[in-house]
């Protein structure tokens, strides 16, 4: 079975996912950045993901480049501030991305949903042939799980 990957679909899915990640990070940090900053941050992540998938240059998919782009996304979304705040924002962004990404990966791997959706993994980018409305629904569901877990952890920490 051959899967065709369309750059516009890959770009749009990554734009939505990156916007969701950066927005959830802002919510968890109780920040209210301007929407254009969130969109610009998500746009940079979507451009990077599309470039990595379609341009076969090894430095693009290196860990250093991924860390650089994610740090740039956080910087665009939340501004520089001081170094300590930047590190905190970046850490929450990584924890959000790892939590949601891990939950999605587990869901796709354990249920076999990834194979049924025709998942393709190339250059560090996972491409799923999933309708946008289902992706948004999954994002909302995972946000609720993450938010509930954080509230529970806050209550436990306060006691």
């Amino acid at each position: 079975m051959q899967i065709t990957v369309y750059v516009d679909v890959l770009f749009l899915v990554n734009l939505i996912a990156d916007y969701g990640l950066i927005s959830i990070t802002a919510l968890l940090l109780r920040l209210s950045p301007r929407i254009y900053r969130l969109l610009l941050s998500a746009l940079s992540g979507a451009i990077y993901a599309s470039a990595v998938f379609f341009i076969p240059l090894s430095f693009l998919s290196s860990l250093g480049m991924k860390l650089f782009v994610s740090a740039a996304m956080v910087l665009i979304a939340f501004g520089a501030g001081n170094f300590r705040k930047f590190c905190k924002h970046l850490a929450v962004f990584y924890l959000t991305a790892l939590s949601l990404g891990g939950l999605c990966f587990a869901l796709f791997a354990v249920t076999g949903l990834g194979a049924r959706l025709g998942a393709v993994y190339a250059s560090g980018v996972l491409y799923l042939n999933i309708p946008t409305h289902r992706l948004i629904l999954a994002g909302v569901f995972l946000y609720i799980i993450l938010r509930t877990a954080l509230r529970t952890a806050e209550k436990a920490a306060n006691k």
Side-chain angles (χ1 to χ4, degrees), residues 6-148:
Y6 297 99
V7 70
D8 57 338
V9 173
L10 180 67
F11 177 81
L12 182 62
V13 167
N14 274 279
L15 182 67
I16 292 168
D18 289 339
Y19 185 83
L21 284 174
I22 207 73
S23 295
I24 291 170
T25 301
L27 285 171
L28 295 173
L29 290 167
R30 293 182 171 91
L31 299 174
S32 302
R34 302 218 182 256
I35 290 176
Y36 77 87
R37 291 184 74 111
L38 297 176
L39 283 171
L40 194 57
S41 174
L43 182 67
S44 64
I47 290 170
Y48 171 72
S50 299
V52 166
F53 197 84
F54 287 104
I55 301 172
L57 297 174
S58 61
F59 82 93
L60 282 177
S61 60
S62 69
L63 178 61
M65 187 59 117
K66 290 176 184 179
L67 293 173
F68 174 78
V69 171
S70 59
M73 288 174 64
V74 168
L75 191 61
I76 291 167
F78 308 124
N82 62 37
F83 185 70
R84 188 171 180 215
K85 277 188 179 178
F86 171 73
C87 289
K88 178 183 175 184
H89 297 164
L90 190 60
V92 172
F93 177 73
Y94 285 147
L95 289 173
T96 302
L98 290 171
S99 298
L100 294 176
L103 286 171
C104 284
F105 188 76
L107 177 69
F108 292 140
V110 171
T111 64
L113 185 60
R116 288 194 301 270
L117 291 172
V120 175
Y121 185 79
S123 302
V125 177
L126 179 65
Y127 179 84
L128 295 168
N129 188 13
I130 184 170
T132 306
H133 68 280
R134 287 187 183 168
L135 178 66
I136 293 171
L137 184 63
V140 168
F141 178 70
L142 292 173
Y143 168 74
I144 291 168
I145 290 173
L146 184 62
R147 188 72 171 186
T148 304

